[in-house]
Amino acid sequence: MRNEKLISALGNCINHCNYCADACLDEDNVKMMTDCIRLDKVCAEVCSALNQVLATDYKDVKGLVEYCKKVCQACADECGKHDTQHCKDCAKACKDCVAACENYLA
């Protein structure tokens, strides 16, 4: 199935973004993590939407894949600014999802 690798990357990204957002709430300076938490939540939602659409036989997904790639890159960039392990792990999952989106679009 053409969607299999992207669906797997999306699921991994969703899990890491949700975990990261929750873990950021436990940081001492939560205010500093506001943008990270917000992007984590948006990224998880966009990836979830694309994941659901890809599970169907609907073909017109290029725009959604491109938007997902954009949001994942923004989330990776934001998480990459922080030293916490959960942010580093999330940034990697987001970068992997960007790569999976690029492969899907190729």
Side-chain angles (χ1 to χ4, degrees):
M1 172 167 50
R2 179 177 181 216
N3 302 348
E4 195 172 326
K5 287 184 180 180
L6 181 51
I7 288 172
S8 177
L10 289 164
N12 190 50
C13 192
I14 292 164
N15 291 337
H16 277 89
C17 285
N18 284 328
Y19 179 79
C20 186
D22 189 62
C24 284
L25 292 172
D26 290 332
E27 294 297 324
D28 291 334
N29 188 355
V30 176
K31 190 129 180 103
M32 184 181 84
M33 305 305 284
T34 303
D35 289 340
C36 187
I37 295 166
R38 203 167 273 132
L39 263 168
D40 282 338
K41 291 174 66 73
V42 169
C43 190
E45 288 298 324
V46 171
C47 287
S48 182
L50 178 56
N51 196 30
Q52 293 299 312
V53 172
L54 288 176
T56 71
D57 196 28
Y58 190 68
K59 303 286 186 229
D60 187 16
V61 296
K62 182 180 178 193
L64 186 54
V65 175
E66 288 171 345
Y67 184 69
C68 184
K69 178 182 154 191
K70 177 182 172 183
V71 171
C72 287
Q73 186 60 60
C75 193
D77 292 346
E78 178 59 35
C79 285
K81 295 177 186 177
H82 304 284
D83 291 330
T84 58
Q85 191 61 48
H86 58 85
C87 284
K88 290 178 183 179
D89 292 344
C90 187
K92 182 186 180 321
C94 289
K95 287 177 187 174
D96 290 346
C97 200
V98 167
C101 286
E102 288 172 348
N103 287 340
Y104 181 88
L105 292 169

